[in-house]
Amino acid sequence: MEYMNKSILEIHEALKNKDVTVKELIEESLKKSHYIQDKYNAFVTILDEAKETEVTDNLLSGIPYGIKDNYSTKGILSTGSSNTLKDYVPFFTATAISNLEKAGAIATNKTAMDEFGMGGTGTTCHTGTVKNPWDSSRMCAGSSAGSACAVAAGVYPYATGSDTGDSIRKPAAYCGIVGYKPTYGMISRYGLFPFASSLDHCGVLARNVKDAAIVVDTMKGIDKNDMTSWDSKDIHLYASIDGNVKGKKLCYVKEICDIENYPNASDELKAHLENFKNKLENIKKLGIEIEEVSVDKKLLNAIASTYVVISCAEATSNMSNLTGIIFGPRGEGKNYIEMMKDYRTKGFSPLIKRRFVIGSYVLQAENKDRYFHNAGRARRLIVNKWNELFKNFDAVVLPVGSGPAKHLDGSENILDKNTSVLEEHLQIGNFGGFPSITIPDGFINNLPVALNITGKCYDDENVLNIAYAIESSMNYKNQIAKEDN
Amino acid sequence: MDKFTKEMVTDYADKLLIGLTEEETNMVLEEFDIIDKNIDLINEIPEIEQVEPMTHCLDNFIYELREDEIEESIGIDELLSNCDDSSNDEVRVPKVVE
């Protein structure tokens, strides 16, 4: 009997009924970790020495899970999938992970990711490419590639992720699972390796909406070590899910969803958008009203560059502490400047260097207004537009990406010259700190595709309840990836 | 003259204490052109210069000063455990003043 492919509630019930022991769950998760590592390369570290915890009334007690490798874990290698930190073992644990530990959750591995979260393909981890468990010739997307792969493959019911542009919600889509990032600051970022602080969110990848709610209920909370965290004690994500969505109002954006916007659309894109429109009809049957809205294309076209400029600028600043002097492998050189340059030159991958140089360029005094400040201005206009929509609608529902997982061949991690709004719109959730959840909504060529629901800040309970109702109206809950499906 | 040159890219990278290979420099150069064209998409937004740049997701942060509390500090051994070169509780570096 296998348990790691079940929901948190089912596993908890089995533990309470003594149908299975914590030891057996750990053994199953570790065995699957090694199997998945060999096939898909999803992990940086497998924690073979994972210790049992007591089974309590806490739903997460005694249940294995995975930690993205950019969360600091005391005494456990935490690399951010970068050669610059390939031997780094933190002396403290991230607050979100600490909260899971207190609940009795058991980490069985640290998952691979695009280096420091700065990629969307899962191909830039210092341990190599993470492959998609539905089809190993395809990518998982990123940056939470290993977490998405492992949850989809049934290594455990959930794993932590982080999301600066779409790093939880895109991999969830490509792997046929749920990816949820709550309102900015609901989960403390203390101990999460920073990428772009004004956009970084902690969150979770799971196989159903209720599981995602249970996990974030545990991870969240105000933290004196993160001044951007806020008190969410009156928010009860799991308890508030009742599936009652009659009279709720959603909208979708014509300029993103209409196939007419993509004259050279591939068959996969056509099928993806058609599937999305069909699902909207099903959603209406739940008693939810759905309207098409229009958003100025000039705003939508600005999303990609707004993200690139802000994220690269913030990353350049955040990563300045990576010198190899007080941690990280020491570089060689006659003086400390040469040593730092040697460490940074050898340690960072070409992709990261590229982002840093862009960040440096947009922050130069002579360039700042044209690039950095204008990106901040566009960010405000885009967020204002979405907040305007939230005055009339509970949430915005949109398809994720331009179809199922992309092929690994030719998946160069460079910015696409044809910046597709469809690929980039999830970044709006980071610009505004909005609660945002991706759930699977179908299959194209035997590969999963997904839709996303994004609502206004602090309205996480409503967003999750809508997601739960939509999930329940479809047949893609709790699915496990199998290449031979 | 091209707006972006290899010398510029090398200079920006140098300021960050990063060395680039020839291939990496060319990649950044190509990308600068794309970003420059894309930034024009932002500049097409009418009266963009009138907008106050947004620097953070949430506008309603409450900043509270808390009382000072004495907490246990992290031990020096732990702090230095990831340092490749230390001596007598201190990080060892080459001579800084020349």
Side-chain angles (χ1 to χ4, degrees), chain A residues 89 184 198 224 227 305 316 327 329-330 339 341 344-345 353-354 356 361 364 370-371 374 376-377 380 415 430 458, chain B residues 4 12 14-16 19 24 31 36 38-40 43 48 51-52 54-57 60 63 71 79 82 84-85 92 94:
Chain A
V89 180
Y184 184 86
S198 84
K224 67 177 181 180
M227 65 182 275
S305 23
T316 303
F327 57 86
R330 184 68 69 92
M339 286 164 71
K341 190 167 179 182
R344 289 164 71 86
T345 300
K353 290 182 190 175
R354 190 200 81 194
F356 289 162
Y361 174 72
Q364 299 297 313
R370 172 171 161 76
Y371 294 92
N374 268 353
R377 291 177 179 119
R380 184 174 297 281
L415 295 171
N430 303 78
Y458 311 110
Chain B
F4 302 107
Y12 296 133
D14 212 42
K15 284 175 176 155
L16 298 172
E24 287 166 350
E31 188 133 345
D36 205 49
N38 285 346
I39 212 79
D40 285 336
N43 297 330
I48 182 80
V51 180
E52 176 69 18
M54 185 176 186
T55 55
H56 220 280
C57 300
N60 61 345
Y63 300 104
E71 291 183 356
L79 288 172
N82 285 290
D84 278 356
D85 195 359
R92 186 154 53 196

Short mmCIF file of all heavy atoms in Angstrom, two decimals, chain A residues 89 184 198 224 227 305 316 327 329-330 339 341 344-345 353-354 356 361 364 370-371 374 376-377 380 415 430 458, chain B residues 4 12 14-16 19 24 31 36 38-40 43 48 51-52 54-57 60 63 71 79 82 84-85 92 94:
data_model
loop_
_atom_site.label_atom_id
_atom_site.label_comp_id
_atom_site.label_asym_id
_atom_site.label_seq_id
_atom_site.Cartn_x
_atom_site.Cartn_y
_atom_site.Cartn_z
N VAL A 89 26.15 25.43 4.68
CA VAL A 89 25.26 24.80 5.66
C VAL A 89 24.84 25.87 6.66
O VAL A 89 25.65 26.31 7.48
CB VAL A 89 25.97 23.64 6.38
CG1 VAL A 89 25.03 23.01 7.40
CG2 VAL A 89 26.45 22.59 5.39
N TYR A 184 1.41 38.79 -0.41
CA TYR A 184 2.77 39.15 -0.01
C TYR A 184 2.85 39.37 1.50
O TYR A 184 2.02 40.08 2.08
CB TYR A 184 3.18 40.44 -0.73
CG TYR A 184 4.60 40.87 -0.48
CD1 TYR A 184 5.65 40.38 -1.24
CD2 TYR A 184 4.90 41.77 0.54
CE1 TYR A 184 6.95 40.77 -1.01
CE2 TYR A 184 6.21 42.17 0.79
CZ TYR A 184 7.22 41.66 0.00
OH TYR A 184 8.51 42.05 0.24
N SER A 198 11.09 42.87 -3.31
CA SER A 198 9.75 43.45 -3.41
C SER A 198 8.80 42.55 -4.19
O SER A 198 7.60 42.83 -4.28
CB SER A 198 9.80 44.84 -4.05
OG SER A 198 9.82 44.76 -5.46
N LYS A 224 8.92 38.65 13.67
CA LYS A 224 9.71 39.85 13.99
C LYS A 224 10.98 39.94 13.13
O LYS A 224 11.59 41.00 13.03
CB LYS A 224 10.07 39.88 15.47
CG LYS A 224 11.01 38.79 15.89
CD LYS A 224 11.39 38.91 17.33
CE LYS A 224 12.36 37.79 17.68
NZ LYS A 224 12.80 37.80 19.04
N MET A 227 10.14 42.30 8.53
CA MET A 227 9.29 43.48 8.76
C MET A 227 8.16 43.60 7.74
O MET A 227 7.25 44.40 7.92
CB MET A 227 10.13 44.75 8.77
CG MET A 227 10.80 45.05 7.45
SD MET A 227 11.83 46.51 7.49
CE MET A 227 10.63 47.76 7.19
N SER A 305 8.95 43.56 -19.56
CA SER A 305 10.12 44.42 -19.30
C SER A 305 10.07 45.01 -17.90
O SER A 305 11.11 45.21 -17.26
CB SER A 305 10.26 45.52 -20.35
OG SER A 305 9.07 45.79 -20.97
N THR A 316 20.69 42.26 -8.25
CA THR A 316 22.06 42.76 -8.25
C THR A 316 22.46 43.22 -6.85
O THR A 316 23.54 42.93 -6.36
CB THR A 316 22.18 43.95 -9.21
OG1 THR A 316 21.76 43.52 -10.49
CG2 THR A 316 23.59 44.47 -9.29
N PHE A 327 31.48 33.22 3.72
CA PHE A 327 30.89 31.92 3.40
C PHE A 327 31.00 31.69 1.90
O PHE A 327 31.19 32.62 1.14
CB PHE A 327 29.45 31.79 3.90
CG PHE A 327 28.50 32.85 3.38
CD1 PHE A 327 27.86 32.67 2.18
CD2 PHE A 327 28.27 34.01 4.12
CE1 PHE A 327 26.98 33.64 1.70
CE2 PHE A 327 27.39 34.98 3.64
CZ PHE A 327 26.75 34.80 2.43
N PRO A 329 32.77 28.99 -1.23
CA PRO A 329 34.17 28.60 -1.49
C PRO A 329 35.05 29.82 -1.77
O PRO A 329 34.72 30.64 -2.62
CB PRO A 329 34.06 27.67 -2.71
CG PRO A 329 32.73 27.97 -3.32
CD PRO A 329 31.84 28.49 -2.24
N ARG A 330 36.14 29.94 -1.05
CA ARG A 330 37.04 31.09 -1.18
C ARG A 330 37.69 31.13 -2.57
O ARG A 330 38.20 30.13 -3.06
CB ARG A 330 38.13 30.97 -0.09
CG ARG A 330 39.10 32.11 0.02
CD ARG A 330 38.47 33.40 0.50
NE ARG A 330 38.01 33.43 1.88
CZ ARG A 330 38.75 33.85 2.92
NH1 ARG A 330 40.00 34.20 2.74
NH2 ARG A 330 38.22 33.89 4.12
N MET A 339 40.02 38.14 -5.08
CA MET A 339 39.43 36.91 -4.55
C MET A 339 37.91 36.89 -4.78
O MET A 339 37.33 35.88 -5.17
CB MET A 339 39.72 36.80 -3.04
CG MET A 339 41.16 36.44 -2.74
SD MET A 339 41.59 36.77 -1.03
CE MET A 339 40.70 35.49 -0.21
N LYS A 341 36.24 38.58 -7.03
CA LYS A 341 35.94 38.52 -8.46
C LYS A 341 36.12 37.09 -8.99
O LYS A 341 35.30 36.60 -9.78
CB LYS A 341 36.83 39.49 -9.23
CG LYS A 341 36.41 39.64 -10.68
CD LYS A 341 37.06 40.81 -11.38
CE LYS A 341 36.58 40.86 -12.82
NZ LYS A 341 37.18 41.92 -13.59
N ARG A 344 33.11 35.02 -7.73
CA ARG A 344 31.85 35.36 -8.41
C ARG A 344 31.89 34.96 -9.89
O ARG A 344 30.89 34.51 -10.44
CB ARG A 344 31.55 36.86 -8.25
CG ARG A 344 31.16 37.23 -6.82
CD ARG A 344 31.23 38.72 -6.55
NE ARG A 344 30.20 39.49 -7.20
CZ ARG A 344 28.97 39.72 -6.71
NH1 ARG A 344 28.63 39.21 -5.55
NH2 ARG A 344 28.09 40.45 -7.36
N THR A 345 33.06 35.13 -10.50
CA THR A 345 33.19 34.78 -11.92
C THR A 345 33.03 33.27 -12.12
O THR A 345 32.34 32.82 -13.03
CB THR A 345 34.56 35.24 -12.46
OG1 THR A 345 34.65 36.65 -12.30
CG2 THR A 345 34.74 34.87 -13.92
N LYS A 353 24.89 35.82 -14.31
CA LYS A 353 25.76 36.96 -14.64
C LYS A 353 25.03 37.94 -15.54
O LYS A 353 25.09 39.15 -15.37
CB LYS A 353 27.03 36.47 -15.36
CG LYS A 353 27.98 35.69 -14.49
CD LYS A 353 29.19 35.34 -15.33
CE LYS A 353 30.09 34.36 -14.64
NZ LYS A 353 31.20 33.93 -15.50
N ARG A 354 24.30 37.37 -16.50
CA ARG A 354 23.54 38.20 -17.43
C ARG A 354 22.54 39.08 -16.68
O ARG A 354 22.43 40.27 -16.89
CB ARG A 354 22.80 37.25 -18.37
CG ARG A 354 22.16 37.87 -19.55
CD ARG A 354 21.09 36.93 -20.07
NE ARG A 354 19.88 37.06 -19.28
CZ ARG A 354 18.88 36.20 -19.31
NH1 ARG A 354 18.96 35.13 -20.03
NH2 ARG A 354 17.82 36.42 -18.59
N PHE A 356 22.64 40.01 -13.58
CA PHE A 356 23.32 41.00 -12.75
C PHE A 356 23.78 42.19 -13.59
O PHE A 356 23.67 43.34 -13.17
CB PHE A 356 24.54 40.38 -12.06
CG PHE A 356 24.17 39.40 -10.97
CD1 PHE A 356 25.09 38.49 -10.49
CD2 PHE A 356 22.91 39.40 -10.39
CE1 PHE A 356 24.77 37.59 -9.48
CE2 PHE A 356 22.57 38.51 -9.39
CZ PHE A 356 23.50 37.61 -8.94
N TYR A 361 23.22 47.83 -15.16
CA TYR A 361 22.98 48.82 -16.20
C TYR A 361 21.77 49.70 -15.90
O TYR A 361 21.84 50.93 -15.98
CB TYR A 361 22.79 48.10 -17.55
CG TYR A 361 22.39 49.02 -18.67
CD1 TYR A 361 23.31 49.91 -19.21
CD2 TYR A 361 21.10 49.00 -19.20
CE1 TYR A 361 22.95 50.77 -20.23
CE2 TYR A 361 20.73 49.84 -20.22
CZ TYR A 361 21.66 50.74 -20.73
OH TYR A 361 21.30 51.58 -21.74
N GLN A 364 22.38 52.40 -13.17
CA GLN A 364 23.35 53.50 -13.35
C GLN A 364 22.59 54.84 -13.34
O GLN A 364 21.48 54.94 -13.89
CB GLN A 364 24.08 53.37 -14.69
CG GLN A 364 24.89 52.09 -14.85
CD GLN A 364 26.02 51.97 -13.85
OE1 GLN A 364 26.77 52.92 -13.63
NE2 GLN A 364 26.13 50.81 -13.22
N ARG A 370 14.98 56.14 -17.18
CA ARG A 370 14.44 55.47 -18.37
C ARG A 370 14.07 54.02 -18.07
O ARG A 370 13.08 53.51 -18.59
CB ARG A 370 15.47 55.53 -19.51
CG ARG A 370 15.09 54.70 -20.71
CD ARG A 370 16.02 54.96 -21.90
NE ARG A 370 15.96 53.89 -22.89
CZ ARG A 370 14.97 53.73 -23.76
NH1 ARG A 370 13.95 54.54 -23.76
NH2 ARG A 370 15.01 52.73 -24.62
N TYR A 371 14.87 53.35 -17.26
CA TYR A 371 14.63 51.93 -17.04
C TYR A 371 13.96 51.66 -15.68
O TYR A 371 12.81 51.26 -15.60
CB TYR A 371 15.94 51.14 -17.13
CG TYR A 371 16.53 51.15 -18.50
CD1 TYR A 371 17.46 52.12 -18.88
CD2 TYR A 371 16.16 50.20 -19.45
CE1 TYR A 371 18.00 52.14 -20.15
CE2 TYR A 371 16.69 50.21 -20.73
CZ TYR A 371 17.63 51.18 -21.07
OH TYR A 371 18.14 51.19 -22.33
N ASN A 374 10.89 53.94 -14.66
CA ASN A 374 9.77 53.70 -15.56
C ASN A 374 9.15 52.32 -15.32
O ASN A 374 7.94 52.14 -15.45
CB ASN A 374 10.19 53.85 -17.02
CG ASN A 374 9.98 55.26 -17.53
OD1 ASN A 374 9.39 56.09 -16.82
ND2 ASN A 374 10.46 55.55 -18.72
N GLY A 376 9.02 50.89 -12.42
CA GLY A 376 8.22 51.10 -11.21
C GLY A 376 6.90 51.81 -11.51
O GLY A 376 5.87 51.51 -10.91
N ARG A 377 6.96 52.72 -12.46
CA ARG A 377 5.73 53.44 -12.86
C ARG A 377 4.75 52.48 -13.56
O ARG A 377 3.56 52.48 -13.28
CB ARG A 377 6.08 54.60 -13.79
CG ARG A 377 6.84 55.71 -13.09
CD ARG A 377 7.25 56.82 -14.05
NE ARG A 377 7.95 57.85 -13.31
CZ ARG A 377 9.21 58.23 -13.52
NH1 ARG A 377 9.91 57.65 -14.50
NH2 ARG A 377 9.78 59.15 -12.79
N ARG A 380 3.04 50.24 -11.11
CA ARG A 380 1.91 50.86 -10.41
C ARG A 380 0.66 50.88 -11.29
O ARG A 380 -0.44 50.57 -10.84
CB ARG A 380 2.26 52.29 -9.97
CG ARG A 380 1.14 52.95 -9.16
CD ARG A 380 1.54 54.29 -8.60
NE ARG A 380 2.63 54.23 -7.64
CZ ARG A 380 2.50 53.87 -6.36
NH1 ARG A 380 1.32 53.52 -5.90
NH2 ARG A 380 3.54 53.86 -5.57
N LEU A 415 15.63 35.80 -22.79
CA LEU A 415 14.33 36.44 -22.92
C LEU A 415 13.83 36.31 -24.36
O LEU A 415 14.56 36.56 -25.29
CB LEU A 415 14.45 37.92 -22.56
CG LEU A 415 14.80 38.20 -21.12
CD1 LEU A 415 15.11 39.68 -20.95
CD2 LEU A 415 13.67 37.79 -20.20
N ASN A 430 2.87 39.15 -8.58
CA ASN A 430 4.03 39.57 -7.79
C ASN A 430 4.12 41.09 -7.70
O ASN A 430 4.49 41.63 -6.67
CB ASN A 430 5.32 39.00 -8.39
CG ASN A 430 5.26 37.49 -8.48
OD1 ASN A 430 4.61 36.95 -9.37
ND2 ASN A 430 5.88 36.80 -7.54
N TYR A 458 -5.04 40.11 0.68
CA TYR A 458 -5.68 39.69 1.95
C TYR A 458 -6.97 38.89 1.74
O TYR A 458 -7.62 38.52 2.71
CB TYR A 458 -5.97 40.90 2.86
CG TYR A 458 -4.80 41.82 3.03
CD1 TYR A 458 -4.80 43.09 2.46
CD2 TYR A 458 -3.67 41.41 3.76
CE1 TYR A 458 -3.71 43.94 2.61
CE2 TYR A 458 -2.58 42.26 3.90
CZ TYR A 458 -2.60 43.52 3.33
OH TYR A 458 -1.52 44.35 3.47
N PHE B 4 25.09 50.03 -27.52
CA PHE B 4 25.75 49.18 -26.52
C PHE B 4 27.04 48.61 -27.10
O PHE B 4 27.05 48.12 -28.23
CB PHE B 4 24.83 48.04 -26.09
CG PHE B 4 23.53 48.53 -25.53
CD1 PHE B 4 22.35 48.41 -26.27
CD2 PHE B 4 23.47 49.11 -24.28
CE1 PHE B 4 21.14 48.86 -25.76
CE2 PHE B 4 22.28 49.57 -23.76
CZ PHE B 4 21.11 49.44 -24.50
N TYR B 12 30.22 47.35 -16.77
CA TYR B 12 29.12 47.06 -15.83
C TYR B 12 29.41 45.79 -15.04
O TYR B 12 29.15 45.72 -13.84
CB TYR B 12 27.78 46.92 -16.55
CG TYR B 12 27.33 48.19 -17.23
CD1 TYR B 12 26.86 48.19 -18.54
CD2 TYR B 12 27.37 49.41 -16.56
CE1 TYR B 12 26.46 49.36 -19.16
CE2 TYR B 12 26.97 50.59 -17.17
CZ TYR B 12 26.52 50.55 -18.47
OH TYR B 12 26.12 51.71 -19.07
N ASP B 14 32.34 44.54 -14.39
CA ASP B 14 33.49 44.79 -13.52
C ASP B 14 33.05 45.48 -12.22
O ASP B 14 33.57 45.19 -11.15
CB ASP B 14 34.51 45.66 -14.28
CG ASP B 14 35.91 45.33 -13.83
OD1 ASP B 14 36.19 44.12 -13.67
OD2 ASP B 14 36.70 46.27 -13.61
N LYS B 15 32.10 46.38 -12.35
CA LYS B 15 31.60 47.07 -11.16
C LYS B 15 30.97 46.09 -10.18
O LYS B 15 30.88 46.36 -8.98
CB LYS B 15 30.55 48.12 -11.57
CG LYS B 15 31.17 49.36 -12.17
CD LYS B 15 30.10 50.31 -12.66
CE LYS B 15 30.74 51.60 -13.16
NZ LYS B 15 29.93 52.30 -14.14
N LEU B 16 30.50 44.96 -10.71
CA LEU B 16 29.88 43.94 -9.85
C LEU B 16 30.89 42.87 -9.44
O LEU B 16 30.52 41.86 -8.86
CB LEU B 16 28.73 43.25 -10.60
CG LEU B 16 27.57 44.12 -11.04
CD1 LEU B 16 26.64 43.33 -11.94
CD2 LEU B 16 26.81 44.62 -9.82
N GLY B 19 33.58 38.62 -13.89
CA GLY B 19 34.28 38.55 -15.17
C GLY B 19 33.41 37.80 -16.17
O GLY B 19 32.73 36.85 -15.81
N GLU B 24 29.75 35.14 -23.10
CA GLU B 24 28.81 35.77 -22.15
C GLU B 24 28.60 37.24 -22.48
O GLU B 24 27.50 37.77 -22.40
CB GLU B 24 29.32 35.60 -20.71
CG GLU B 24 29.18 34.18 -20.18
CD GLU B 24 29.98 33.93 -18.91
OE1 GLU B 24 30.80 34.78 -18.51
OE2 GLU B 24 29.80 32.85 -18.32
N GLU B 31 21.09 40.81 -25.48
CA GLU B 31 19.96 41.00 -24.58
C GLU B 31 19.68 42.48 -24.31
O GLU B 31 18.52 42.89 -24.19
CB GLU B 31 20.27 40.30 -23.26
CG GLU B 31 19.08 40.31 -22.38
CD GLU B 31 18.82 38.95 -21.80
OE1 GLU B 31 19.38 37.98 -22.29
OE2 GLU B 31 18.07 38.90 -20.85
N ASP B 36 16.20 47.09 -24.44
CA ASP B 36 16.04 48.48 -24.85
C ASP B 36 14.78 48.65 -25.70
O ASP B 36 14.03 49.61 -25.53
CB ASP B 36 17.27 48.94 -25.62
CG ASP B 36 17.43 50.43 -25.53
OD1 ASP B 36 17.35 50.97 -24.42
OD2 ASP B 36 17.61 51.06 -26.59
N ASN B 38 12.21 46.62 -25.60
CA ASN B 38 11.04 46.36 -24.74
C ASN B 38 10.72 47.53 -23.82
O ASN B 38 9.56 47.78 -23.52
CB ASN B 38 11.29 45.11 -23.88
CG ASN B 38 11.14 43.84 -24.70
OD1 ASN B 38 10.62 43.87 -25.80
ND2 ASN B 38 11.62 42.74 -24.16
N ILE B 39 11.75 48.23 -23.39
CA ILE B 39 11.50 49.36 -22.48
C ILE B 39 10.73 50.45 -23.22
O ILE B 39 9.98 51.21 -22.63
CB ILE B 39 12.82 49.89 -21.85
CG1 ILE B 39 12.54 50.43 -20.46
CG2 ILE B 39 13.48 50.94 -22.70
CD1 ILE B 39 12.41 49.41 -19.40
N ASP B 40 10.91 50.49 -24.54
CA ASP B 40 10.12 51.44 -25.33
C ASP B 40 8.64 51.16 -25.21
O ASP B 40 7.82 52.07 -25.34
CB ASP B 40 10.54 51.38 -26.81
CG ASP B 40 11.87 52.08 -27.02
OD1 ASP B 40 12.21 52.95 -26.19
OD2 ASP B 40 12.57 51.75 -28.00
N ASN B 43 7.57 53.08 -22.37
CA ASN B 43 7.55 54.52 -22.67
C ASN B 43 6.40 54.92 -23.58
O ASN B 43 6.09 56.11 -23.71
CB ASN B 43 8.90 54.93 -23.28
CG ASN B 43 10.03 54.72 -22.29
OD1 ASN B 43 9.82 54.80 -21.08
ND2 ASN B 43 11.21 54.39 -22.79
N ILE B 48 3.42 58.44 -18.77
CA ILE B 48 4.03 57.51 -17.81
C ILE B 48 4.88 58.28 -16.79
O ILE B 48 4.96 57.91 -15.62
CB ILE B 48 4.87 56.43 -18.55
CG1 ILE B 48 5.49 55.43 -17.58
CG2 ILE B 48 5.98 57.02 -19.40
CD1 ILE B 48 4.57 54.37 -17.11
N VAL B 51 3.56 59.27 -13.28
CA VAL B 51 3.18 58.26 -12.29
C VAL B 51 4.29 58.11 -11.24
O VAL B 51 5.47 58.14 -11.57
CB VAL B 51 2.95 56.89 -12.98
CG1 VAL B 51 2.56 55.82 -11.97
CG2 VAL B 51 1.90 57.02 -14.08
N GLU B 52 3.89 57.96 -9.98
CA GLU B 52 4.87 57.72 -8.91
C GLU B 52 5.33 56.26 -9.01
O GLU B 52 4.51 55.34 -8.97
CB GLU B 52 4.17 57.98 -7.56
CG GLU B 52 5.00 57.68 -6.33
CD GLU B 52 6.16 58.64 -6.14
OE1 GLU B 52 6.15 59.72 -6.73
OE2 GLU B 52 7.08 58.27 -5.39
N MET B 54 6.27 52.54 -8.26
CA MET B 54 5.84 51.64 -7.18
C MET B 54 7.05 50.81 -6.77
O MET B 54 7.66 50.14 -7.60
CB MET B 54 4.72 50.74 -7.69
CG MET B 54 4.11 49.85 -6.63
SD MET B 54 2.72 48.92 -7.32
CE MET B 54 2.11 48.13 -5.84
N THR B 55 7.39 50.87 -5.50
CA THR B 55 8.59 50.16 -5.06
C THR B 55 8.26 48.91 -4.26
O THR B 55 9.13 48.13 -3.95
CB THR B 55 9.47 51.07 -4.18
OG1 THR B 55 8.66 51.55 -3.10
CG2 THR B 55 10.01 52.24 -4.97
N HIS B 56 6.99 48.76 -3.91
CA HIS B 56 6.62 47.62 -3.07
C HIS B 56 5.20 47.18 -3.35
O HIS B 56 4.39 47.96 -3.83
CB HIS B 56 6.77 48.01 -1.59
CG HIS B 56 7.35 46.90 -0.81
ND1 HIS B 56 6.58 45.85 -0.40
CD2 HIS B 56 8.60 46.64 -0.41
CE1 HIS B 56 7.35 45.00 0.24
NE2 HIS B 56 8.59 45.44 0.25
N CYS B 57 4.90 45.91 -3.02
CA CYS B 57 3.56 45.36 -3.30
C CYS B 57 2.47 46.06 -2.51
O CYS B 57 1.40 46.34 -3.03
CB CYS B 57 3.47 43.91 -2.86
SG CYS B 57 4.57 42.79 -3.62
N ASN B 60 0.20 49.53 2.64
CA ASN B 60 -0.35 49.73 3.98
C ASN B 60 0.48 49.07 5.08
O ASN B 60 -0.06 48.57 6.05
CB ASN B 60 -1.79 49.20 4.04
CG ASN B 60 -1.84 47.72 3.74
OD1 ASN B 60 -0.89 47.16 3.24
ND2 ASN B 60 -2.95 47.09 4.06
N TYR B 63 4.67 49.95 10.35
CA TYR B 63 6.02 49.78 10.92
C TYR B 63 5.94 50.02 12.42
O TYR B 63 5.58 51.11 12.86
CB TYR B 63 7.00 50.75 10.27
CG TYR B 63 7.11 50.54 8.78
CD1 TYR B 63 6.51 51.40 7.89
CD2 TYR B 63 7.81 49.44 8.27
CE1 TYR B 63 6.59 51.20 6.52
CE2 TYR B 63 7.91 49.23 6.91
CZ TYR B 63 7.29 50.11 6.04
OH TYR B 63 7.38 49.89 4.69
N GLU B 71 18.68 38.68 23.34
CA GLU B 71 18.55 37.32 22.81
C GLU B 71 19.92 36.67 22.79
O GLU B 71 20.95 37.35 22.76
CB GLU B 71 18.00 37.36 21.38
CG GLU B 71 16.57 37.81 21.31
CD GLU B 71 16.04 37.76 19.89
OE1 GLU B 71 16.82 37.44 18.97
OE2 GLU B 71 14.85 38.05 19.71
N LEU B 79 29.13 30.72 13.31
CA LEU B 79 29.21 31.79 12.31
C LEU B 79 30.35 31.55 11.32
O LEU B 79 30.24 31.88 10.15
CB LEU B 79 29.40 33.15 13.00
CG LEU B 79 28.18 33.71 13.73
CD1 LEU B 79 28.58 34.94 14.53
CD2 LEU B 79 27.07 34.05 12.77
N ASN B 82 31.10 28.21 7.86
CA ASN B 82 31.08 28.19 6.39
C ASN B 82 32.22 29.01 5.78
O ASN B 82 32.27 29.18 4.56
CB ASN B 82 29.75 28.75 5.88
CG ASN B 82 28.62 27.76 6.06
OD1 ASN B 82 28.57 26.74 5.38
ND2 ASN B 82 27.73 28.03 7.00
N ASP B 84 35.97 29.54 4.63
CA ASP B 84 37.06 28.65 4.24
C ASP B 84 38.39 28.98 4.90
O ASP B 84 39.30 28.16 4.94
CB ASP B 84 37.25 28.70 2.70
CG ASP B 84 36.27 27.80 2.00
OD1 ASP B 84 35.51 27.10 2.70
OD2 ASP B 84 36.24 27.81 0.75
N ASP B 85 38.53 30.21 5.39
CA ASP B 85 39.82 30.59 5.96
C ASP B 85 39.62 31.50 7.16
O ASP B 85 39.30 32.68 7.03
CB ASP B 85 40.65 31.32 4.88
CG ASP B 85 42.12 31.43 5.26
OD1 ASP B 85 42.48 30.95 6.37
OD2 ASP B 85 42.88 31.99 4.47
N ARG B 92 40.12 35.30 7.98
CA ARG B 92 41.45 35.70 7.50
C ARG B 92 41.36 36.11 6.03
O ARG B 92 40.82 35.38 5.20
CB ARG B 92 42.42 34.54 7.65
CG ARG B 92 43.85 34.93 7.31
CD ARG B 92 44.88 34.07 7.99
NE ARG B 92 44.64 32.65 7.76
CZ ARG B 92 45.19 31.70 8.49
NH1 ARG B 92 45.98 31.99 9.49
NH2 ARG B 92 44.94 30.43 8.23
N PRO B 94 43.65 38.46 2.77
CA PRO B 94 44.96 39.03 2.46
C PRO B 94 45.03 40.48 2.97
O PRO B 94 43.99 41.10 3.22
CB PRO B 94 45.04 39.00 0.94
CG PRO B 94 43.90 38.19 0.48
CD PRO B 94 42.89 38.15 1.56
#
